Amino acid sequence: MGITVIGITHPGQAGALPGGTNVLVLADDGTYTDEFLDTDFGAHQLVVRAHGRGSAFFGVADKARELGAERILFGGTYDTAASMATGEDPVLVLGVRPPGGPIAFNAAFGEWLARWPRPASAYRGDVDHWLAENALREGLRVELVSWLMEPTVPMRRKLTA
């Protein structure tokens, strides 16, 4: 198993870590940086500066690409998302929870992500819709799962263009 980058916006989002090498990235405006760095989460820890959901997501995604991550989990750790965001084919996993749930994807999806122009609206808070729209336009696999991302929850469906 390669590197898993887990992006969080608050130290409380760090849960049980998946197997393998984990890098926790706090995307923050400085509010929780000291608390995050003073806590031993049992993983490598980095901080990126961010202001808002989209900015936080892109900060984590860019850091993951720089580190050569195999999979990326944004918004905390979730077993179902981690297990679905693997493989050679690009896959995006979106947790359905307004105003935006957890996001997970694999390295192959990250390659596509790096190619797409990023509009200002995606940096604010509309990153979920922007991701899904781009992925579906390209014919990539998009999975929606319950916001809890627990394997016992039956709500799961595949989106296609």
Side-chain angles (χ1 to χ4, degrees), residues 3-59:
I3 296 171
T4 298
V5 169
I6 302 158
I8 59 176
T9 56
H10 184 280
Q13 288 179 325
L17 300 173
T21 303
N22 294 294
V23 178
L24 274 175
V25 179
L26 175 70
D28 183 38
D29 64 2
T31 305
Y32 301 106
T33 302
D34 290 338
E35 178 185 345
F36 175 74
L37 293 174
D38 289 342
T39 304
D40 181 6
F41 291 102
H44 303 281
Q45 293 170 226
L46 300 171
V47 176
V48 295
R49 180 70 80 181
H51 300 280
R53 180 172 169 78
S55 173
F57 171 80
F58 288 123

